[in-house]
Amino acid sequence: EVQLVDSGGGLVQPGRSLKLSCTASGFTFGDYAMSWVRQAPGKGLEWVAFIRIKSYGETTEYDASVKGRFTISRDDSKSIAYLQMNGLKTEDTAIYYCTRARWPRVGQGWYFDYWGQGTLVIVSS
Amino acid sequence: EIVLTQSPGTLSLSPGERATLSCRASQSVSSNYLAWYQQKPGQTPRLLIYGASSRATGIPDRFSGSGSGTDFTLTIGSLEPEDFAVYYCQQYGTSPGTFGQGTKVDFK
């Protein structure tokens, strides 16, 4: 059974940093791209970051709203994906979901076939 | 960026009724790469449909997706009590992909 367990959320002041983790099980982690999707309170879904597999250089993509502040990474030996969030803003307040991403074709986008339970990040002074 | 507009915003129906949800794209979705997700209150989103019409693992056959180009539809053949939720469409034909704003299916 595929499982994604998100952790690391919490209350943080604007401008500070936080690192989220996603521990995967039930599949060969290194064979799949991974991504983070967030949902602000009472709002819709917003893609945040994406990382390809090793054979594609573990290259990354970011939404414009977080580019330069957030960094996605992965450790295939531990089956963990990370999201390092620096320079946090109040508008980053959201539930952050780790997702397994399916990337059908190079040059196109991806969809999300499994989701973690989410971890809440609150950015407030 | 492709903008997805879902309609209606809220759909009020009774169990056993048929639900038809629309997702319209501002430009053609490449390869009909469109997905649908269900999110129940307080729960994690769940993939229902990918590639416009392929059901994800474990999804009941009362859920069906159709459409191409700019117009896509999610149909729930006969609503079960557990189907009352918010539904999101997402296009992934153009990187990085975008979500619609959601349609809420609630009890009439």
Side-chain angles (χ1 to χ4, degrees):
Chain A
E1 179 194 5
V2 172
Q3 280 201 308
L4 300 172
V5 178
D6 304 327
S7 60
L11 173 63
V12 61
Q13 293 179 324
R16 304 299 290 264
S17 299
L18 206 58
K19 187 173 185 176
L20 308 182
S21 299
C22 167
T23 302
S25 60
F27 65 101
T28 304
F29 183 76
D31 288 349
Y32 291 86
M34 299 296 292
S35 189
W36 290 89
V37 175
R38 69 184 179 185
Q39 186 171 37
K43 302 296 185 183
L45 302 171
E46 179 186 26
W47 166 77
V48 174
F50 170 84
I51 186 166
R52 296 177 178 86
I53 60 176
K54 187 179 293 292
S55 59
Y56 284 90
E58 296 185 1
T59 50
T60 57
E61 307 285 347
Y62 299 94
D63 182 74
S65 64
V66 307
K67 196 168 187 177
R69 299 188 297 123
F70 289 12
T71 302
I72 187 172
S73 61
R74 60 189 300 155
D75 184 337
D76 290 354
S77 69
K78 297 180 179 178
S79 297
I80 300 178
Y82 300 99
L83 185 67
Q84 176 68 48
M85 304 185 294
N86 298 332
L88 282 160
K89 305 176 181 180
T90 55
E91 54 263 42
D92 295 320
T93 293
I95 297 173
Y96 285 73
Y97 296 102
C98 170
T99 68
R100 192 175 81 170
R102 303 305 298 272
W103 185 40
R105 192 176 295 177
V106 174
Q108 294 186 288
W110 43 88
Y111 64 97
F112 314 103
D113 65 348
Y114 287 94
W115 298 60
Q117 86 285 1
T119 187
L120 177 61
V121 173
I122 300 174
V123 185
S124 174
S125 53
Chain B
E1 176 182 292
I2 295 179
V3 176
L4 298 181
T5 302
Q6 293 186 240
S7 61
T10 301
L11 193 54
S12 297
L13 295 168
S14 300
E17 290 192 294
R18 182 184 185 91
T20 303
L21 287 67
S22 173
C23 177
R24 180 162 290 178
S26 59
Q27 53 188 282
S28 184
V29 176
S30 177
S31 305
N32 293 329
Y33 279 171
L34 189 108
W36 290 93
Y37 303 87
Q38 175 194 63
Q39 188 176 31
K40 299 177 186 179
Q43 294 191 22
T44 293
R46 174 174 72 149
L47 175 68
L48 298 176
I49 301 287
Y50 63 95
S53 60
S54 297
R55 270 188 301 277
T57 303
I59 301 304
D61 61 8
R62 64 180 181 274
F63 291 93
S64 63
S66 62
S68 63
T70 60
D71 289 298
F72 298 87
T73 300
L74 175 70
T75 302
I76 309 172
S78 176
L79 279 165
E80 297 287 340
E82 62 268 27
D83 298 336
F84 290 86
V86 178
Y87 293 84
Y88 295 94
C89 60
Q90 180 227 350
Q91 71 80 21
Y92 55 100
T94 302
S95 178
T98 47
F99 287 98
Q101 83 281 13
T103 289
K104 182 178 182 180
V105 178
D106 68 9
F107 287 97
K108 180 159 51 175

